[in-house]
Amino acid sequence: MHEHPLQRFFKSLRERPVFAWERYQMRDVLVIDHPLCQAVFSRQGAQLLHFQPKGQKPWLWCAAKWPHVGAIRGGVPVCWPWYGRHPSENAWPSHGWARLLDWKLLDSSHDEEGVHLHWQLQLCDWQVDLHAHLGERMELRLSTEHQDSLPCQLSQALHAYWRIGDVGEVALSGLDGAQGYDQLNRQACQQQGELRVEGGCQRVFQHDGELQLKDHAWQRELCIDTGDDADTVVWHPGTRPLLGVSWNEISEFVCVEAASGGTDSLSLAPGQKAHLSLQARVGV
């Protein structure tokens, strides 16, 4: 099991401020050191790359090596204003522009319950805001406001890579009976019992409420809630290679994502807002 590459910022015994900017692999990263948790955000994409409550193992996985330019694989990428491939422009980047652009950090504060951050990106006639609350729990809320005079289409996701001990020893519960679509086999599916992802998985479920990521290798259970207005996407590449990711890293994560508009894009009227959320806590 490899150490999370961003834990390097917390090895020093010297006292750190709660918020500090650092330069790492050609990116500006915000290092957060709070009595309840440690975390790292990238300015590029407003991407939460590392989150670790006090006394626990890391919750999020991040690739050890990042490309010189382009998207960082790991953490919680904000896929926006489209999720997956663009519906008409094949040359445009997968998962949209948001994870490739620098966001503005409008506010950062802390109290006895943790840290609060507000990131914002203005792009053409869109405004998208990401609010994060990190402490003993993790909460991310994405809000998009359409500011044009004509309707538009939108799809989005909070594409979380959860850190695990071994992909062969994890199971997802809480999806029993959920209807979905298996994108690998290109057919509708209904989950029966626990879901195991070893060997590859790419399924989209219509699901409300929490699900439980049971990690037997680390003897940990994470309760993940993708909200009431989003699909729950479960993904792992199996034996397929991932660009920039070593073979031994692939067994150390599974993706459980909140996504909306992936099958039928959301239609936003002028001035209308769209919301997406992702929350997690440790199971009792």
Side-chain angles (χ1 to χ4, degrees), residues 79 82-86 93-96 155:
C79 303
W82 63 87
Y83 173 53
R85 294 182 179 179
H86 191 276
S94 293
H95 298 317
S155 61

Side-chain angles (χ1 to χ4, degrees), residues 221-223 281-284:
E221 178 178 290
L222 291 179
C223 299
R281 63 179 180 86
V282 171
V284 178

Side-chain angles (χ1 to χ4, degrees), residues 60-61 73-77 83 95 158-164 167 170 172 175 195 197 201-203 205 211 213 224 226 232-237 242 250 252-258 278:
L60 298 174
W61 174 89
R73 187 180 292 277
V76 189
Y83 173 53
H95 298 317
L158 293 169
H159 184 0
Y161 289 75
W162 301 100
R163 183 75 185 270
I164 54 176
V167 70
V170 298
L172 288 164
L175 291 168
L195 173 61
V197 301
C201 180
Q202 191 170 354
R203 298 183 187 180
F205 292 101
L211 59 85
L213 174 57
I224 302 167
T226 57
T232 298
V233 180
V234 181
W235 176 75
H236 188 271
L242 291 179
I250 289 178
E252 297 176 350
F253 72 81
V254 62
C255 290
V256 181
E257 318 162 29
L278 179 69

